[in-house]
Every structure is written in C-alpha cells, then in structure tokens.
Amino acid sequence: MPARASRALSRMILGRHLLTAGIQCCRCRVTYHVKRLYSSIPDDVKSLRAVANPDISKIRNIGIMAHIDAGKTTTTERMLYYSGYTRALGDVDDGDTVTDFMAQERERGITIQSAAVTFDWKSHRINLIDTPGHVDFTLEVERALRVLDGAVAVFDASAGVEAQTLTVWRQAEKHHIPCVCFLNKMDKPTANLRFSIESIKKKLKANPVLLQIPIGSGKNFTGVVDLLTNHKLIWKQGRVGDDGRVFESKPLNQSDEPELLQEAQEARTALVEQVADLDDEFAELLLTDFSDNFDAVPTVKLQEAVRRVTLARKGVAVLCGSSLRNKGVQPLLDAITAYLPAPNERHHDVVQWYKNDLCALAFKVLHDKQRGPLVFLRIYSGTLKPQTAVHNINRNCNERMSRLLVPFADQHVEIPSMTAGNIALTVGLKQTVTGDTIVSSKPSAAAAARRAQNQSATGKKCGEHASVVLSGVEVPDPVFFCTIEPPTMAKQADLENALNCLQREDPSLKVRVDPDSGQTILCGMGELHIEIIHDRIRREYGIETHLGPLQVAYRETIFHEASETDTLDRTIGERRHHVTVQLSVRPVDPSSPVGLRQLAFTQESEAQLSQEMKYAVENGVQSSYLQGPLLGYPLQGVSTLIQSVNMEPGTSPAMVSACASRCMLKALRLAGGQVLEPVMSLEVTVSEEHLSSVLGDLAQRRGTVRDIQSRHDNKVLLATVPLAEMMGYSTILRTLTSGNATFSLELDTYEAMNPQEQNMLLKRMAGLL
C-alpha cells in the first residue's frame, strides 16, 4: 500500500506539472569516454507546450498494437518516462499507468480504449496511441490505424505471432501502415529470437529485417547488439531501483565473447544482403563502391536504405528488449523517429484538393462531465484554432470549437493553435461523431470539390462534396446482444441519455428497441464488451441496470434464386401513386466480403429512373436487408437485381421505396431462408497434460480442430467453434486446466447451421422450448 500511495502521489504531481506553464525542460547529460552514458535528470518533467507546433517532418503519428498481454502499455509507459514526460514508472499490475486511466482498465490490468499521448524525443514530436489487444475492442485499433502514419507491433518473444497479432496486422495492412516490430519480454526463460522471426515470416507473410540481436538470454539478458553500428548497448544488472535510464554503448571488439562476435558478424552480413535484395539503390551502392568489402558500407547509408524499405512496406525493422525490465526502449524510440514516416511522407488523395485550407478527420469522441464531448481530430491540412467556426461535411452543419488541447491520456494541455500532421483534442463540437470530415467552411469544401472535379480524368460528376470527404472508420457488426432495463421507469430517460453518449464514444456498440416488446436491446462485440458497458453505466452514470441473457447475433441467407413482382396503387387526396417493381434475388458466398449484400440495376431499369427514384429503390431494398424472413436477423450473402421499375407521373419516392421493400420481402420468402451462425477462430495454449481434457470439451461444443502445434513446453490448439457454444468458456477452461491455459477468440466467418440446430433455434425463438 505505501508503494502504491507513493505512485499515486507522483501521478498527482505529474498532472499539476503537465498543466502548469513554464516547467523547466528535461536536460540530458552525455559523457564520451570508452563508453557513452545516456541519462536525464529524473526530477524534471517536460511541458507539452514546448513542442506545440514542430515542423511536419519532425512529427511521428504512431500506434502501439499487439496481442493481449504482449506489453504494449508497459512499453508506452517506458517511452513517456525516458522522454521526460512522467516522473515515475507506472506498472500495469499496480494500476497506475498513464494510458490505462479507466477504472475498469486498472482493475483488470488490460487496455479497453485507445489512449493518445504526445511527447518529444530528440527534436521529434511523437503522437502515440496505445491500443487494446482484446478482440472485443478491435474497433479501437481500427480507428487509431485509420489516422496514424506508422505502427509499432509488439510481440511476446516467447510466443511470436499470436491470434490477435494477426488481426491487428491485417488492419495495418489494410491502411498501408509501415511498421516496426519490437520483440518484447526477452528476459523470459522461453524467449526465442529465431522462433519469433520465423513466425513473423510464416504467419504475417512479412520480411523481418533484424536490426539487433540480444546479449544473453532469460534472466541474463543484459542488452542488444546494434547491427547497423556494431555497438553493444548494455543495461547494468542488479542495481536497486535501476530504471533503465542509463545504459552504456561501446563498439564490439576482439575482447568480447567469440560467440557474440561471430553471431553479430553473421547477422550484420545477412542484414546487408537482405537490404540489398529489397532496395535497388542500396544494392547499386554496394556493387559500385563496396563490392570488395560489404562491411565497409557507412552506417548512415544502411540506415537510409532500411528507412526506404520500411516506408515502401517491403520489410519491417525488428528490434528486441524487455520493457518491464527497462531494457531496449530507447533504441526503439530512435527507430520510430528514424524509420517510420512523417505525415508529409504519406499521401492522401482527398487532402490535395484543400491545399492550405483546414481538413481534418474526427476519429474518436469522449464525454467529459464538465466540458461535454471531446473530439479527437487528425489534421491533414491547414491550421486549427480555438474560438473558430468549422464545417462538418457529413452532418452538413457548422459548429464552434471553443478550446483546443494537446492530448495526454486523461490530462490535457490547452494550446493556441495546431498545424497539419498533428492530432488534436477539441471542445465544443456537439454534433460531430467518429468518421466525420471537418473543414474550415462550406465554401472551402465546395472549392475543393471543384478542384477535384476539374482535375478528374473522366470528368464524371459526383454527388456534392462526395470526392472531398475523407473515408471514415469501418465499424464491425456486433456478434452478441441482450436486453437492458433500468431499475425503475423514472430512470428510463437517464438510461437513454447514457446509451446515447456511450454509442457516440463507441460506434461498435449498437442500441435498438424491439418493436414487439418495446425492450431496449444492447448489441456488442463480445461478452467482455457488454460487461464493460454495463459497468460504465453503473459507475459513470449512476444507474443500476439489469441485463437479460446474452444471445448470439445470427445472420440469415437464402437457399435459391427467386424473382418477384409487386405493384402498389394508392390514392391520397387527389394524387394517385402507382408503381410496379420487378426484382430477383440469388444467394452468393456469405463468407466473401463482396458477397455480404449486393444490389445492382439492369441497364433498362437504371435508364428509367431519376437519381431521386433510384435512391428510393435502394433505400427500400436496403431496409429489407436488415430483417430476414425467418427470424428477423440481418441478411448476408444475398445479391439483388432490380429488373424494372414502372411508375405513373406524380408517384412519390416514399411509395416507390415502400413498393421495393414489399417486393423484396416477397422474393426472400419465395427463395427460402436459412440461419447463419458466427464461427470463431479459437487458439488455446495449454500444457500437454491438460490437452486431452480441452479436446474433449471442444468436441462437445461442435468444435473442429485445425492444428495442434508445439510452443516450448506447451501445446497450441487451433480450432473453429460456433460462437453460441463459447458462452462462459473462460470459466470452464480455467476449471479444466487448473488455471494453466490461455485462449483467444476471433470471428472467422458465418456458416450455415445444420438443420437440427436450426430447428432447435427456431423452436427456442418461438418459445416452444
């Protein structure tokens, strides 16, 4: 308790320092002898005001991503400490880290929501977002990567690539994010550099460019060899209270261990050859100037080549260390500034049309009881200033921004302006939500649209501002739902307000009202996600809600192709509305992303319709996708073709939409319905003595084993299993293995239920079981 109280006091002092101007900057002392010592005075805490608007080439917008418990938050904590922005080293187990500031995060020791921090390192400004590793909060990773320029992928060196590592890596690839890899936990007895490198090659299909090799292993891990400079970086062991701030760097020499010298020589030769294979400019330099001796190539030339390889995403730089033991984090910070891109090195097509006008993307919203909604913005062009009006293109509204802040987890510093390339926190944007594009004014957006249209190769006219809106954030569909009820009807309005605020913060949370029962339905990404939402409503809004049983969010599809025609004829007042719609539906592969829900028009039908009427037909069909013919679950794997739409003059778009929806419903019933259930990809790490028990339990859960791999003394079980069978699995697994197993789940695909299971589900939904 005294240690924890001391840390808490240090945090309070930190907050006061961060929010007070004129704090003396951290000073560094570098001594050059046989070795170099890096250190800074620990009593100085830097002010965010000192680096408010650096040159754009000195900015790095990065994210920390990894599988759960790989050490993301611990690595972030060390970065803040060594850069001089915190006074003490926080610990996840003690619940006193900067970025895990939510009560739920500190109690559970996991990251639940992404947190942004800003700090400087060697004349560079780093805007860093620490992201969750749990699959239930994958949206936090998605919206962070949407606005970042680079990423650090953290690996447990004893496990290599794990289940959620694959997920976040795919998300980074989707946004074309250059990455640096950090093999953490090199102090573990089972840490294995070669194993981790091979897993990156095989599972991520990436080219790992090894820049460091470890010195020692397990508890004897003392540092790394920098292969670019041929220097040893050593952190002293056994010193009480050693925070890793001081380490020595000295060149390799013949007095070092022969095994280390040979390993370093072989690794550097492999590094030079690998970089030459990936970068033509470097290969030409080697062949023309250093063909006799590759080792003579200057370090700076090799660093430049590694940077080009990283930015081109031809390879990923790999470093190693142990964040918990305070080793290897400073070289990682150097790698971030050296190899990851500045904002002006990333190209965004839409931004060019705005020139020097403001263009920003809202990627996250938080609610503050005193200040109201806090909106995180990534500024792509122009300058942002407080007390100014801005235009939200998506909402087609103007809003006034009252204050502008630099984010530092839950502590923020107010500043007078923010330039392109930065991440800002704004106060006063009450209508803005995640994915909205913010510009200086409506005329500015119109001017950008004209520039885009004038330079368009086809000259085809798009909808107003369609080409100058930044792409938003893709929100995954929920997989679980349950009812939520307030303790009394007097609290219903308060509950609705709480859910509205939480939905704005978390777009993956969906809330709807059941039309038959009138109950409020809470839809989320998993058991933990809904549990956290329930706890936040209790803590933050003071409402003791009751949750109904957790249920799986199924999907529906159709069996075969079907065509249908429907006519709607109504006379309202003196106006007659008459429309006939003919369409066909057919099943497509539901596991294919392009086959989720397709809608197309024949050339004849498209020629018949104005833009307004085409939109009305699309709206009617899309509304039918939301409720399938069997159980009312959303449709998936259905392709719709509009064959003809005939209407009399004066027919309203609303009637056209209603007719299309009714015709669609008839066609779906004619095509026959089938339930699709979410199937999860399961990875269980378990000791060999408990493997048979886990396998037997999976067989009862309709699981299919894909592979069983060996990882040190454990077995890694890879399987697919229906989500409906995984309720409460963590408790069962803990019982089966006496707590000596871990698992991770990820949505794999939706598959058709077998007839027996589907019949049981239909009876259960009908209340017969």
Side-chain angles (χ1 to χ4, degrees):
M1 286 300 293
R4 185 172 298 184
S6 174
R7 293 190 183 96
L9 179 60
S10 297
R11 295 289 155 167
M12 292 173 64
I13 296 172
L14 162 66
R16 185 171 300 173
H17 275 274
L18 285 172
L19 297 172
T20 304
I23 297 176
Q24 187 179 8
C25 288
C26 177
R27 300 183 297 273
C28 295
R29 180 180 73 241
V30 184
T31 307
Y32 294 91
H33 296 295
V34 178
K35 62 185 179 181
R36 290 180 294 167
L37 294 177
Y38 295 80
S39 68
S40 59
I41 298 175
D43 290 333
D44 290 347
V45 179
K46 292 183 180 179
S47 168
L48 294 174
R49 301 175 190 275
V51 286
N53 280 313
D55 184 79
I56 193 169
S57 64
K58 297 292 186 180
I59 298 174
R60 299 292 184 269
N61 296 312
I62 66 162
I64 303 287
M65 61 181 194
H67 185 83
I68 190 170
D69 202 32
K72 300 179 300 300
T73 301
T74 302
T75 302
T76 301
E77 192 71 20
R78 270 55 182 172
M79 289 180 176
L80 294 175
Y81 181 69
Y82 296 138
S83 61
Y85 281 82
T86 57
R87 185 179 297 276
L89 285 169
D91 191 282
V92 172
D93 293 332
D94 291 338
D96 59 357
T97 59
V98 171
T99 52
D100 284 353
F101 54 84
M102 289 177 61
Q104 293 87 348
E105 291 176 318
R106 294 188 167 182
E107 289 174 357
R108 297 167 185 266
I110 62 171
T111 301
I112 292 172
Q113 67 175 11
S114 57
V117 290
T118 300
F119 60 94
D120 66 340
W121 178 258
K122 296 184 179 179
S123 77
H124 286 76
R125 176 179 187 157
I126 297 178
N127 297 314
L128 182 146
I129 298 181
D130 180 24
T131 64
H134 198 284
V135 67
D136 282 18
F137 310 108
T138 187
L139 174 69
E140 293 290 329
V141 183
E142 175 68 24
R143 62 178 169 186
L145 291 175
R146 169 62 187 85
V147 298
L148 295 174
D149 302 315
V152 175
V154 180
F155 300 79
D156 181 338
S158 66
V161 174
E162 299 176 87
Q164 189 65 7
T165 315
L166 282 166
T167 302
V168 298
W169 192 269
R170 284 196 294 264
Q171 289 174 301
E173 285 192 324
K174 181 176 69 175
H175 295 290
H176 310 291
I177 302 291
C179 295
V180 167
C181 296
F182 181 60
L183 303 182
N184 193 24
K185 304 189 179 184
M186 289 299 299
D187 60 305
K188 292 177 70 172
T190 54
N192 190 318
L193 177 71
R194 300 302 168 192
F195 168 78
S196 299
I197 293 293
E198 285 302 313
S199 70
I200 292 173
K201 287 181 182 178
K202 293 180 180 179
K203 296 183 178 180
L204 301 183
K205 311 299 181 186
N207 288 320
V209 180
L210 186 62
L211 303 185
Q212 297 175 345
I213 59 172
I215 299 175
S217 61
K219 292 182 179 179
N220 296 319
F221 172 68
T222 58
V224 297
V225 174
D226 186 335
L227 298 177
L228 285 89
T229 62
N230 267 332
H231 276 63
K232 293 192 303 181
L233 308 180
I234 303 294
W235 283 261
K236 295 294 185 181
Q237 287 183 299
R239 294 170 54 182
V240 178
D242 187 7
D243 58 7
R245 190 186 295 270
V246 178
F247 64 95
E248 61 178 341
S249 172
K250 57 183 179 182
L252 289 171
N253 56 57
Q254 296 303 316
S255 63
D256 291 313
E257 296 179 7
E259 295 84 358
L260 180 64
L261 288 173
Q262 182 178 353
E263 185 181 1
Q265 177 62 38
E266 292 174 353
R268 192 176 196 278
T269 301
L271 169 63
V272 172
E273 293 176 354
Q274 183 183 13
V275 174
D277 288 339
L278 298 172
D279 184 73
D280 293 338
E281 184 179 337
F282 184 70
E284 186 176 351
L285 174 70
L286 285 182
L287 294 175
T288 55
D289 297 344
F290 303 98
S291 57
D292 295 335
N293 184 10
F294 286 176
D295 289 337
V297 62
T299 299
V300 65
K301 294 296 183 182
L302 183 54
Q303 288 176 331
E304 290 172 356
V306 172
R307 177 175 172 79
R308 288 192 298 270
V309 167
T310 304
L311 296 187
R313 297 175 58 247
K314 294 180 180 179
V316 289
V318 179
L319 299 92
C320 52
S322 173
S323 297
L324 185 64
R325 304 303 173 196
N326 310 319
K327 298 171 184 176
V329 177
Q330 295 97 323
L332 175 60
L333 283 166
D334 290 337
I336 289 170
T337 58
Y339 306 126
L340 293 180
N344 59 350
E345 293 176 299
R346 297 268 293 163
H347 302 291
H348 306 276
D349 294 335
V350 171
V351 177
Q352 61 181 317
W353 310 125
Y354 286 93
K355 296 188 175 180
N356 293 324
D357 287 344
L358 174 66
C359 178
L361 180 70
F363 67 94
K364 186 177 177 67
V365 179
L366 293 177
H367 278 84
D368 186 273
K369 291 182 178 179
Q370 282 75 38
R371 291 175 287 194
L374 306 178
V375 180
F376 287 82
L377 296 178
R378 163 67 195 270
I379 308 172
Y380 288 99
S381 65
T383 302
L384 200 60
K385 295 181 179 180
Q387 299 299 328
T388 56
V390 294
H391 180 68
N392 185 324
I393 299 181
N394 302 74
R395 310 289 143 200
N396 192 26
C397 68
N398 292 329
E399 296 194 85
R400 187 170 185 82
M401 184 178 57
S402 58
R403 299 172 65 189
L404 185 63
L405 310 169
V406 175
F408 195 83
D410 58 342
Q411 302 282 344
H412 315 299
V413 175
E414 193 164 354
I415 55 169
S417 66
M418 190 80 85
T419 54
N422 283 295
I423 291 175
L425 186 59
T426 62
V427 181
L429 303 182
K430 300 185 184 302
Q431 304 298 321
T432 302
V433 298
T434 298
D436 284 356
T437 300
I438 303 298
V439 297
S440 56
S441 64
K442 195 169 185 176
S444 172
R450 285 194 298 271
R451 295 187 197 106
Q453 185 177 336
N454 291 338
Q455 297 192 30
S456 173
T458 61
K460 186 176 180 181
K461 200 167 185 177
C462 302
E464 186 180 9
H465 305 327
S467 61
V468 292
V469 175
L470 294 165
S471 59
V473 178
E474 292 184 14
V475 180
D477 291 330
V479 295
F480 275 120
F481 69 92
C482 66
T483 59
I484 182 169
E485 298 175 353
T488 64
M489 288 306 297
K491 289 285 188 180
Q492 181 65 37
D494 293 337
L495 176 59
E496 290 175 0
N497 175 65
L499 291 175
N500 286 335
C501 292
L502 290 171
Q503 280 188 96
R504 193 175 175 195
E505 287 189 21
D506 182 3
S508 66
L509 172 68
K510 299 289 194 305
V511 179
R512 59 183 174 86
V513 177
D514 186 274
D516 297 324
S517 65
Q519 290 180 300
T520 302
I521 309 296
L522 202 62
C523 308
M525 299 303 300
E527 291 182 83
L528 181 59
H529 185 206
I530 290 180
E531 184 181 335
I532 293 296
I533 293 297
H534 184 221
D535 191 52
R536 289 189 63 188
I537 292 173
R538 179 179 63 84
R539 291 182 190 233
E540 298 174 24
Y541 297 92
I543 307 172
E544 295 286 347
T545 55
H546 171 70
L547 294 183
L550 210 57
Q551 300 182 57
V552 174
Y554 295 99
R555 299 285 186 271
E556 293 184 30
T557 190
I558 55 177
F559 273 122
H560 49 78
E561 187 173 351
S563 298
E564 188 59 78
T565 303
D566 188 65
T567 299
L568 189 148
D569 192 350
R570 295 284 188 277
T571 300
I572 302 176
E574 297 181 355
R575 186 176 176 185
R576 186 186 181 198
H577 304 268
H578 185 278
V579 58
T580 300
V581 176
Q582 182 181 5
L583 57 79
S584 62
V585 295
R586 65 180 179 86
V588 293
D589 183 6
S591 63
S592 170
V594 298
L596 296 180
R597 293 184 285 266
Q598 297 177 346
L599 173 60
F601 291 78
T602 62
Q603 290 184 349
E604 296 80 4
S605 65
E606 194 163 16
Q608 293 173 334
L609 299 172
S610 65
Q611 190 66 32
E612 183 182 28
M613 291 302 177
K614 182 181 177 183
Y615 176 77
V617 173
E618 290 176 345
N619 189 44
V621 172
Q622 296 289 356
S623 65
S624 300
Y625 281 145
L626 300 178
Q627 282 196 313
L630 272 180
L631 296 172
Y633 290 113
L635 282 169
Q636 184 168 316
V638 177
S639 175
T640 304
L641 179 64
I642 308 299
Q643 295 170 332
S644 67
V645 180
N646 299 306
M647 69 191 80
E648 290 189 1
T651 302
S652 71
M655 291 298 178
V656 174
S657 181
C659 184
S661 179
R662 195 169 71 175
C663 186
M664 182 72 178
L665 182 58
K666 290 181 178 179
L668 291 173
R669 288 173 178 167
L670 191 63
Q674 185 175 23
V675 177
L676 300 173
E677 64 177 343
V679 176
M680 310 301 286
S681 177
L682 172 68
E683 180 178 305
V684 182
T685 303
V686 62
S687 60
E688 190 165 3
E689 62 179 308
H690 295 117
L691 179 62
S692 59
S693 300
V694 174
L695 287 171
D697 179 68
L698 275 181
Q700 297 178 10
R701 297 174 183 270
R702 297 190 285 138
T704 302
V705 177
R706 294 184 302 182
D707 194 13
I708 299 177
Q709 302 172 351
S710 296
R711 182 184 295 168
H712 310 302
D713 296 331
N714 294 325
K715 295 295 183 181
V716 179
L717 174 63
L718 304 178
T720 56
V721 58
L723 178 60
E725 304 291 343
M726 296 303 291
M727 300 277 194
Y729 184 66
S730 58
T731 303
I732 300 298
L733 183 65
R734 192 160 49 244
T735 302
L736 289 173
T737 64
S738 302
N740 295 319
T742 60
F743 79 99
S744 60
L745 278 175
E746 179 189 2
L747 180 62
D748 185 29
T749 186
Y750 278 85
E751 292 183 355
M753 294 184 77
N754 64 57
Q756 182 180 0
E757 293 292 333
Q758 179 168 313
N759 288 335
M760 291 180 63
L761 177 64
L762 292 172
K763 291 178 181 178
R764 197 160 55 241
M765 296 298 290
L768 299 179
L769 283 182

